[in-house]
Amino acid sequence: MATHEKPDVPALPFFESGNVYTGSFRQSFRFRIAKAEDALTGSYWNEDLCFEKAEHVVSETFPLTEAGRAACIDWIAEHQPE
């Protein structure tokens, strides 16, 4: 099983304050984590475009907790291409 690089993501208070975090791996794997009501929404896409312009975004919702933040980071890491 391949080991994927995990993104360096800000602490939970960053998201609790309503901030959005975006990043990328390699050339075209992009990701975004944002607060959505009382949850975190993690998204990723394999296009060299911003979130708003990407056509094939995959998203998942996680609890707005430290465990949810960690699960979101793991989920993003697991989906990056080899």
Side-chain angles (χ1 to χ4, degrees):
M1 178 179 281
T3 302
H4 296 289
E5 182 180 356
K6 291 185 182 182
D8 186 20
V9 175
L12 189 60
F14 178 88
F15 300 106
E16 291 172 331
S17 297
N19 297 305
V20 175
Y21 185 76
T22 60
S24 64
F25 288 109
R26 298 180 184 86
Q27 290 188 338
S28 64
F29 182 79
R30 311 280 188 231
F31 65 90
R32 178 181 189 268
I33 302 172
K35 180 181 175 187
E37 297 184 19
D38 290 330
L40 284 176
T41 299
S43 303
Y44 70 86
W45 58 100
N46 289 301
E47 299 172 75
D48 195 15
L49 298 168
C50 66
F51 176 77
E52 293 79 11
K53 300 281 184 180
E55 293 183 20
H56 304 286
V57 176
V58 178
S59 297
E60 184 74 36
T61 303
F62 301 89
L64 186 61
T65 62
E66 186 54 44
R69 177 186 162 277
C72 182
I73 293 167
D74 289 343
W75 178 79
I76 288 169
E78 290 169 5
H79 288 89
Q80 64 180 289
E82 297 292 325

